[in-house]
């Protein structure tokens, strides 16, 4: 597997990590809301932490291909592949 693909997998794993962490903070906020009679300030902090991680994870997951393209460049240009469909006038030597 080329490094470009491994980097794409790593970006997606980090995105899943953020999404799992967002689930954790959401669960903690729900648990504290139902069991502990604390102030709403604590729950607001937990909800904010969960939303921050949810947004980060979603952005990383949605734009993973774009992040790989920014870091490694265009895959077609790196492999010497052309995107135009017109044949060359003469074959290469």
């Amino acid at each position: 597997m080329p490094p470009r693909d491994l980097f794409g997998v790593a970006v997606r794993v980090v995105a899943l990590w953020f999404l799992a962490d967002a689930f954790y903070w959401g669960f903690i906020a729900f648990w504290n809301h139902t069991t502990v009679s604390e102030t709403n300030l604590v729950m607001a902090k937990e909800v904010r932490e969960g939303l921050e991680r949810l947004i980060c994870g979603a952005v990383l997951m949605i734009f993973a291909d774009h992040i790989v393209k920014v870091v490694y460049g265009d895959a077609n240009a790196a492999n010497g592949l052309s995107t135009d469909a017109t044949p060359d006038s003469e074959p290469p030597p």
Side-chain angles (χ1 to χ4, degrees), residues 15 18-23 47-60:
F18 274 114
L19 293 173
D21 201 29
F23 175 76
V47 170
R48 188 187 72 241
E49 293 286 334
L51 285 176
E52 288 173 359
R53 283 160 175 79
L54 180 68
I55 291 169
C56 287
V59 166
L60 281 176

Side-chain angles (χ1 to χ4, degrees):
M1 185 178 278
R4 176 186 183 87
D5 294 341
L6 287 175
F7 183 74
V9 170
V11 169
R12 287 173 178 86
V13 166
V14 170
L16 286 175
W17 182 274
F18 274 114
L19 293 173
D21 201 29
F23 175 76
Y24 165 77
W25 280 103
F27 177 75
I28 293 298
F30 175 75
W31 183 265
N32 285 342
H33 177 69
T34 57
T35 60
V36 180
S37 61
E38 294 180 1
T39 63
N40 287 338
L41 224 57
V42 174
M43 190 178 140
K45 176 195 174 283
E46 293 164 347
V47 170
R48 188 187 72 241
E49 293 286 334
L51 285 176
E52 288 173 359
R53 283 160 175 79
L54 180 68
I55 291 169
C56 287
V59 166
L60 281 176
M61 190 63 82
I62 292 169
F63 294 110
D65 291 330
H66 298 290
I67 294 169
V68 171
K69 189 174 181 180
V70 166
V71 172
Y72 277 94
D74 191 16
N76 291 334
N79 294 332
L81 300 175
S82 176
T83 56
D84 72 14
T86 59
D88 296 329
S89 59
E90 58 184 71

